[in-house]
Amino acid sequence: PLPEAELVRSSLQLYRYLLRCCRRLPPGPVQQHYRHAIRQSFKVHADEDDPERIQQIIKRAIEDADWVMNK
């Protein structure tokens, strides 16, 4: 993960972190695909209010972003 990954504590911080990760991807369709996927996931989980579930989502999203960045 990027160095800022351990600082992600909220959904907004996660959103910003993931968009920063996208900037490191090759420009074009790949970058557009992941930016769209990040926005859609943020909208889908926007009404989540369980703090434990939010932390699970954040952890999983950072792991997934790390996988994509290393791909």
Side-chain angles (χ1 to χ4, degrees), residues 10 15 17 22 24 27 31 36 42-43 47 49 53 56-57 64-65 70-71:
S10 72
Y15 184 70
Y17 170 79
C22 269
R24 302 174 123 219
Q31 195 177 72
H36 178 73
F42 187 76
K43 289 176 186 176
D47 62 345
D49 58 359
R53 176 71 178 130
Q56 289 174 344
I57 293 169
D64 290 349
N70 289 326
K71 190 166 108 173

Side-chain angles (χ1 to χ4, degrees), residues 44-70:
V44 167
H45 296 292
D47 62 345
E48 188 67 56
D49 58 359
D50 178 20
E52 189 174 311
R53 176 71 178 130
I54 292 170
Q55 290 307 311
Q56 289 174 344
I57 293 169
I58 289 172
K59 183 177 183 259
R60 178 61 189 216
I62 290 172
E63 290 171 357
D64 290 349
D66 189 34
W67 182 83
V68 168
M69 298 303 289
N70 289 326

